[in-house]
Amino acid sequence: ACYAGPVFNMLVGIGVGFATLLSAEGKHSTPVELSPGLLAGLSFLITNCILLIGFGIFNKNVVPGKYGYACVAIYATYIFVSFILLFGMKD
């Protein structure tokens, strides 16, 4: 339930937003650009999900408390990469 609600809200919000945009402009599609920051966030999210599933599978469907430290490390790395992408990319 803690995942389904936010995912539903995001998907419906994006779907309604794009449907309204496309209807107003009379188009069937619109180009979408994935910025490096968005790709980094997506990569870290997928990494976290895969690690969580892996920890659960290899520990008899129990995620150990030490996984919290891995989550903090992943988040800290994500913040570091995000700052590099934000401040390191000068036009």
Side-chain angles (χ1 to χ4, degrees), residues 6-50:
V7 169
F8 174 80
N9 290 337
M10 286 189 300
L11 292 176
V12 169
I14 291 171
V16 170
F18 270 110
T20 304
L21 173 71
L22 295 175
S23 174
E25 293 183 352
K27 294 182 180 178
H28 294 292
S29 65
T30 186
V32 177
E33 182 179 332
L34 297 176
S35 67
L38 185 62
L39 288 175
L42 182 63
S43 300
F44 280 96
L45 178 65
I46 290 171
T47 301
N48 187 33
C49 289
I50 290 171

Side-chain angles (χ1 to χ4, degrees), residues 56-82:
I57 289 172
F58 291 115
N59 289 304
K60 300 178 184 174
N61 296 330
V62 175
V63 178
K66 292 182 181 180
Y67 182 71
Y69 294 114
C71 288
V72 170
I74 291 169
Y75 183 68
T77 307
Y78 164 70
I79 294 295
F80 179 74
V81 169
S82 294

